[in-house]
Amino acid sequence: MSIQESATARPAGRPRSEKAEKAIIEATLDLIAAGMGVSELTIEAIAAKAGVGKTTIYRRWSNKEDLIVDALATLKAPMPELSGTSVRDDLISLVEAMRKESGEKRGRCVMNIAMSEADRYPRLMERFLKRAVVPRREAMRAVIERGVATGELRPDLDVDMGMALISGAMLWHTKWGPAGALPLDLAQRVVDAALAGMAP
Amino acid sequence: MSIQESATARPAGRPRSEKAEKAIIEATLDLIAAGMGVSELTIEAIAAKAGVGKTTIYRRWSNKEDLIVDALATLKAPMPELSGTSVRDDLISLVEAMRKESGEKRGRCVMNIAMSEADRYPRLMERFLKRAVVPRREAMRAVIERGVATGELRPDLDVDMGMALISGAMLWHTKWGPAGALPLDLAQRVVDAALAGMAP
């Protein structure tokens, strides 16, 4: 019996489980977006919203915090493929992923609410950072360090400060920049503005 | 009868009123810091925490939102005096005010919680921005525009992007930078890193 036949014959197999998982993740994000926050969120509320039993949730996540970390991680844009040839191009790819992510209204709202609770749930936030933020940050660090090594960037460059200029300028546009959607060429403009002071 | 005599004779005058006002502001901030957020906060809870009657609050603020805007505004560092001579020095003064503000743990916590509700209370946030954020942002814009006019900065500089580099790099250090207190020389380093690409 092929895998496909199996799926047809037993709809209770993986596909249904994946569908339930997606519904649970979406329910979690919807409840946070509706203002429930981490403290008030319960497995009961998530199960009701997702239309599944609590057991279905507990089979996959042993507690609320694990589920929240997984749900928040789905809001991050996928890590872009980096060409590894031009430092400028790779930085633009990384910043462009940030720009696209910021355009997602629900994602931004959920992230704002979750982040506001960082002080109250340090362990949860630490795990989320490790899972979803650190890999992206380290990718940018690696590109900048490569630029210093190849001479595309200043040999005496403060790498942390380079990251602060690029990611910070993007963050500023998301939070405080001119109203409306982020311009399509923003990633390129941010990178070029920052590189003006980072090139040799 | 001099004003001082009046104050001594009638302790119910301005000094007591100022003391009550301070207690009300502090109670509001404490309750937000404790996780109450804008939605759950009530005048009753604030009055109880501050040890005053509700009437004392209503005599000064006609509604909860007015009080919250005033309370949040007290968390901002005072606007620094700018020398008006060197663009670099003035930018450092402005960024140094941001650095000091970020060192205040309770202030940061309250601001995080309040900001996480921005999507749900757009009018309140708009008033807070207008009252406490816009004047600081416009001060930085004026310094950068002066630099372009005097030739201390590039004539073709994108002023918004310059603000994004400087404020963003500072914001990045507050949110994502190396753990621990912000270094004392951070304002200077941020400004010099940004100016490297903004000078002619």
Side-chain angles (χ1 to χ4, degrees), chain A residues 12-164:
Chain A
R14 183 139 301 272
R16 199 170 84 178
S17 146
E18 264 170 26
K19 204 177 146 195
E21 190 171 307
K22 195 166 185 304
I24 294 163
I25 294 275
E26 290 302 309
T28 307
L29 296 174
D30 280 344
L31 288 172
I32 297 176
M36 219 175 214
V38 176
S39 34
E40 299 130 78
L41 206 60
T42 61
I43 294 288
E44 282 76 11
I46 297 168
K49 177 98 182 167
V52 302
K54 287 203 291 176
T55 326
T56 308
I57 298 182
Y58 281 120
R59 209 177 286 146
R60 178 74 183 76
W61 293 278
S62 58
N63 59 63
K64 186 175 86 169
E65 299 208 348
D66 286 349
L67 170 52
I68 292 175
V69 169
D70 278 356
L72 292 179
T74 67
L75 296 175
K76 303 297 290 182
M79 277 273 262
E81 291 246 8
L82 301 180
S83 71
T85 48
S86 146
V87 164
R88 177 175 177 270
D89 289 351
D90 284 356
L91 290 174
I92 291 174
S93 299
L94 289 165
V95 175
E96 176 62 10
M98 294 166 74
R99 188 190 69 85
K100 280 195 184 139
E101 207 173 278
S102 307
E104 300 292 333
K105 271 202 175 167
R106 187 183 72 156
R108 216 166 57 196
C109 170
V110 169
M111 211 57 94
N112 272 343
I113 293 175
M115 285 303 139
S116 77
E117 301 196 286
D119 291 331
R120 277 182 284 166
Y121 298 91
R123 220 167 39 93
L124 187 151
M125 287 305 145
E126 198 185 303
R127 285 176 50 205
F128 170 68
L129 286 180
K130 208 166 158 182
R131 160 91 176 274
V133 179
V134 172
R136 288 162 177 81
R137 208 188 301 176
E138 290 314 306
M140 183 175 288
R141 181 185 299 280
V143 172
I144 294 177
E145 283 174 346
R146 194 181 84 217
V148 173
T150 61
E152 285 165 278
L153 301 179
R154 284 207 332 252
D156 63 338
L157 184 72
D158 175 341
V159 174
D160 268 325
M161 191 58 81
M163 292 171 69

Side-chain angles (χ1 to χ4, degrees), chain A residues 35 109 112-113 116 119-120 129 133 137 158 160-161 164-165 167-169 171-173 175-176 189-190 193 196-197, chain B residues 35 109 112-113 116 119-120 129 133 137 158 160-161 163-165 167-169 171-173 175-176 189-190 193 196-197:
Chain A
C109 170
N112 272 343
I113 293 175
S116 77
D119 291 331
R120 277 182 284 166
L129 286 180
V133 179
R137 208 188 301 176
D158 175 341
D160 268 325
M161 191 58 81
L165 287 172
S167 305
L171 194 60
W172 185 90
H173 274 92
K175 288 200 173 290
W176 308 116
R189 283 171 46 221
V190 160
Chain B
C109 169
N112 272 342
I113 294 176
S116 77
D119 292 331
R120 277 183 284 166
L129 287 180
V133 179
R137 206 186 303 175
D158 174 341
D160 270 324
M161 191 57 82
M163 293 171 67
L165 287 171
S167 305
L171 193 60
W172 185 91
H173 274 91
K175 287 200 175 291
W176 308 114
R189 283 172 47 222
V190 160

Side-chain angles (χ1 to χ4, degrees), chain B residues 135-177:
Chain B
R136 288 161 177 82
R137 206 186 303 175
E138 292 312 308
M140 182 174 289
R141 181 186 299 281
V143 172
I144 295 177
E145 283 174 346
R146 194 182 83 217
V148 173
T150 61
E152 285 165 277
L153 301 179
R154 282 208 331 254
D156 63 338
L157 183 73
D158 174 341
V159 174
D160 270 324
M161 191 57 82
M163 293 171 67
L165 287 171
I166 297 172
S167 305
M170 189 62 207
L171 193 60
W172 185 91
H173 274 91
T174 314
K175 287 200 175 291
W176 308 114

Side-chain angles (χ1 to χ4, degrees), chain B residues 69-83:
Chain B
V69 168
D70 278 356
L72 292 178
T74 66
L75 297 174
K76 304 297 290 182
M79 278 274 263
E81 290 247 6
L82 301 180
S83 72

